[in-house]
């Protein structure tokens, strides 16, 4: 799974890297070295503006979404805290994700992500977990494959933007490379040649879309042990990425 990641790129850099044409400066997020479920995160997506009834030209946007997908049919948005990840093997058929998989796909820019390696019991007989930061060996941004969804507050007014909640989830796959030595699952990152096809809302062939979701080749990721300070979501800052003695 992916339960914590790092996203510190400035929106100006993200818009350039992903060819974004629609970004609002008032939606700028602060750099985050400890992104946790229910946090606001950057998402790159394509859609027609709602004010045009969905029939206008598709635009590539950079939007802040809440991490943890809330299906449109959910009675309570709190369910999103349990839906931060979707398995690549079943994402196209699970009721909570299949509609978003067909029409609402996104990319979540990340510098890297954290995973915890389960260790043998210590002398007191209690299990321990050691955190690692995993990041691209070439230093490039990761484009995590994701889905987004709309949820409407049944008590809100139809024309009130605040009545609508936009949320997202990260697609995960079997871990490879350095990640596979630490944890069995990892977020699935797309290569630049697949960005356009993945974001295109007019593509809805499940087999074609699943063909874009291929795990990265070996040598893609590096890993380093980091402080257990990352365990606490209140801790933030670049010091969380400092290597510690394993």
């Amino acid at each position: 799974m992916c339960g914590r990641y790092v996203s510190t790129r400035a929106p100006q850099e993200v818009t350039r890297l992903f060819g974004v044409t629609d970004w609002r400066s008032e939606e700028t997020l602060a750099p985050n070295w400890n992104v946790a479920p229910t946090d606001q995160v950057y998402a790159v997506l394509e859609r027609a503006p709602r004010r045009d009834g969905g029939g206008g030209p598709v635009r590539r946007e950079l939007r802040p979404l809440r991490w943890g997908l809330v299906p449109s049919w959910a009675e309570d948005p709190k369910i999103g805290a349990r839906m931060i990840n979707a398995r690549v093997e079943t994402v196209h058929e699970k009721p909570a994700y299949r509609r978003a998989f067909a029409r609402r796909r996104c990319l979540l820019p990340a510098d890297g992500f954290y995973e915890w390696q389960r260790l043998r019991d210590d002398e007191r007989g209690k299990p321990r977990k050691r955190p690692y930061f995993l990041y691209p060996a070439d230093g490039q941004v990761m484009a995590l494959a994701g889905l987004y969804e709309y949820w409407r507050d049944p008590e809100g007014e139809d024309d009130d933007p605040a009545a609508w909640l936009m949320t997202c989830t990260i697609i995960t796959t079997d871990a490879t490379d350095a990640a596979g030595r630490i944890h069995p699952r990892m977020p699935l990152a797309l290569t630049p040649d697949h960005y356009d096809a993945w974001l295109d809302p007019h593509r809805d062939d499940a087999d074609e879309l699943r063909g874009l979701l291929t795990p990265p080749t070996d040598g893609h990721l590096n890993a380093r042990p980091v402080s257990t300070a990352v365990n606490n979501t209140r801790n933030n800052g670049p010091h969380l990425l400092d290597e510690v003695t394993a």
Side-chain angles (χ1 to χ4, degrees), residues 24-181:
R24 305 168 189 171
S25 59
E26 65 271 20
E27 295 181 337
T28 298
L29 300 176
N32 195 337
W33 288 267
N34 200 1
V35 179
T38 73
D39 281 353
Q40 291 288 306
V41 299
Y42 280 135
V44 177
L45 54 93
E46 289 187 354
R47 62 174 185 160
R50 294 180 64 85
R51 62 178 176 272
D52 296 336
V58 172
R59 300 178 182 179
R60 184 166 297 186
E61 304 179 6
L62 179 65
R63 297 295 308 274
L65 309 184
R66 194 174 82 170
W67 185 20
L69 188 139
V70 179
S72 60
W73 41 260
E75 296 182 359
D76 191 328
K78 292 181 180 179
I79 191 177
R82 305 196 305 271
M83 303 182 70
I84 61 172
N85 293 158
R87 296 175 65 91
V88 68
E89 297 88 351
T90 57
V91 64
H92 62 294
E93 59 188 11
K94 290 290 186 180
Y97 304 122
R98 61 190 178 198
R99 291 181 62 187
F101 182 78
R103 300 184 180 184
R104 289 178 286 277
R105 299 174 299 275
C106 63
L107 296 171
L108 305 173
D111 302 339
F113 61 97
Y114 298 103
E115 284 296 358
W116 281 258
Q117 183 182 49
R118 185 181 296 275
L119 303 176
R120 293 182 179 180
D121 293 357
D122 59 20
E123 295 179 355
R124 294 173 297 176
K126 294 183 179 180
R128 295 182 295 126
K129 291 185 177 180
R130 174 182 295 149
Y132 282 80
F133 177 59
L134 296 104
Y135 57 98
D138 59 7
Q140 298 300 308
V141 66
M142 298 184 74
L144 307 183
L147 309 175
Y148 72 97
E149 189 57 276
Y150 298 99
W151 181 83
R152 182 184 174 279
D153 185 345
E155 297 182 0
E157 299 293 334
D158 287 340
D159 58 352
D160 181 6
W164 292 90
L165 178 67
M166 290 183 70
T167 60
C168 60
T169 190
I170 293 174
I171 297 176
T172 65
T173 186
D174 287 334
T176 61
D177 197 44
R181 299 191 293 271

